[in-house]
Amino acid sequence: MIRYFTAGESHGPALSAIVEGMPAGIAISLEEINNQLARRQQGYGRGGRMKIESDKAEVLSGMRFGKTIGSPITLVIKNRDWENWTTIMAQFEKPVEKIATITIPRPGHADLAGCIKYGFDDIRPVIERSSARETAARVAAGTLAKIFLKALGIEIGSYISSIGGVTEPSPDAQLDLLLSEGAEALARQADLSPVRMLTNATEAEAVAAIDKAKQKGDTLGGIIELFITGVPVGFGSYVQHDRRLDAALASAILSIQAIKGVEIGAAFENARKPGSEVHDELYLSTRDGVIRKTNRAGGLEGSMTSGQTIHLRAAMKPISSLVTPLQSFDMETLQPLPSRFERSDTCAVPAAGVVAEAVVAPVIANALLEKLGGDHLDEIRQRLDLYRENIRNSFCP
Ligand code: EPS
């Protein structure tokens, strides 16, 4: 099973990740990891920090001659901004000069609860680790699992359907066409847009909405659409709560900073309709065995994959660092005060889509490993090919 941890502060020397449980024999290119890191840095509405950073990963363990060897893989991404923070973020010596403490929590941020929980009188350490900068390490780690899945014909991709209330019309036909090539074709198309949308008119409106929010010192959230193609039927399980794939996928997505909602398929729309208009009916085809003409379940039935494309949706709240302050107070003086601005982004929804792709990859990879086992890519591929073949041959009238 793949497990990983990340470490690192936003303005510390580096971010890192240790990824354990990757099977052997998977060809990993540093270029692909760095491509994904670059995708995460894109998106209209990012702040000044992205001009400083140009994220690149180093691999310190777990690889030989370009392939995984089954041992833990250590990834490191240096923070370029660290050189500007060596005093404020000094790991050992407390600076002799007085360092300004941060004592006014931002509403909606981890600031207040984090300070109370860890007993700080300065918000700085909370800011450092709660920051979404950490997602760079998660994208690097998740890319390893993404590459593993891609080698087995399973692809993950996303686009953004809504920013600050500006919503894409349902791009169903375009979506079906892109997804028929695999979910990465969808991601490539979305990446052509600065807001990772599929429709030009909506893209222009979303860009204008971000400009307007920036002018007003405000921030915007949005909605991410995530797709996983090529997953066979029967990954995950209904038999125990902790083997339910719906829950594992939702948990991974909700672990992303500022994500506050997850939907599987058309779940909220389905909740308003009778069952006869919701459930995807089953048909038999001579070529493909069982088929469905709709996918309102989002590729998951009974917390297992149905063999259809997995479709998840995630809601990101607007970032809680606003230039125009909200009401807050000073934790030191207990005086009511406007909240303090900490450099941030106006909108990071396009980047969060790339993060969502990365965090679900280990979940799907683990569902695959739970079903089929195996320690080397070739062994796993053989088992998957056989499993796919058996499924194809059953139920063919
Ligand atoms: C973030 C604040 C900003 C963002 C950061 C997330 O960083 P800084 O405080 O250095 O300006 O740019 O995102 C990243 C650095 C990143 O790599 O995504 C926050 O408070 O969460």
Side-chain angles (χ1 to χ4, degrees), residues 163-352:
I163 286 181
V166 175
T167 301
E168 287 260 67
S170 268
D172 287 346
Q174 191 188 4
L175 206 53
D176 287 348
L177 193 68
L178 289 165
L179 290 174
S180 69
E181 289 171 43
E184 288 192 7
L186 166 69
R188 277 194 298 276
Q189 179 65 37
D191 287 350
L192 299 176
S193 156
V195 281
R196 309 199 62 244
M197 286 182 158
L198 299 179
T199 317
N200 289 344
T202 327
E203 167 192 306
E205 254 189 86
V207 165
I210 294 169
D211 284 340
K212 200 165 153 201
K214 190 170 183 186
Q215 254 170 28
K216 286 177 149 173
D218 216 331
T219 56
L220 296 180
I223 297 173
I224 297 155
E225 309 282 332
L226 186 72
F227 295 86
I228 311 171
T229 50
V231 190
V233 60
F235 287 6
S237 179
Y238 57 89
V239 303
Q240 198 59 264
H241 61 91
D242 61 353
R243 293 175 61 192
R244 287 189 166 266
L245 193 57
D246 295 23
L249 288 166
S251 168
I253 292 175
L254 284 170
S255 75
I256 302 168
Q257 292 81 338
I259 300 294
K260 289 289 157 182
V262 178
E263 186 179 10
I264 297 175
F268 286 89
E269 196 184 320
N270 290 348
R272 294 185 199 103
K273 290 181 176 169
S276 55
E277 289 174 31
V278 168
H279 300 296
D280 304 303
E281 291 183 278
L282 303 170
Y283 300 89
L284 291 176
S285 115
T286 347
R287 206 193 62 182
D288 301 312
V290 181
I291 55 161
R292 295 166 181 82
K293 295 177 183 171
T294 51
N295 184 13
R296 301 183 198 107
L300 289 153
E301 288 176 342
S303 252
M304 294 169 291
T305 52
S306 67
Q308 287 190 287
T309 294
I310 296 178
H311 176 203
L312 305 165
R313 189 174 279 140
M316 184 179 195
K317 70 178 179 181
I319 285 170
S320 47
S321 304
L322 276 68
V323 177
T324 305
L326 296 174
Q327 182 58 41
S328 185
F329 72 101
D330 190 324
M331 299 192 305
E332 200 179 306
T333 63
L334 299 185
Q335 291 306 303
L337 277 175
S339 62
R340 175 187 157 278
F341 176 62
E342 178 78 23
R343 180 182 64 180
S344 190
D345 310 314
T346 307
C347 175
V349 180

Side-chain angles (χ1 to χ4, degrees), residues 10-11 40 46 49-50 55 81 106 109 127 130-133 135-136 321 342-345:
S10 179
H11 304 98
R40 194 202 68 90
R46 300 305 297 272
R49 179 74 185 273
M50 287 306 97
D55 292 335
D81 207 14
R106 287 163 291 177
H109 203 273
I127 295 174
S130 61
S131 164
R133 171 96 190 119
T135 60
S321 304
E342 178 78 23
R343 180 182 64 180
S344 190
D345 310 314

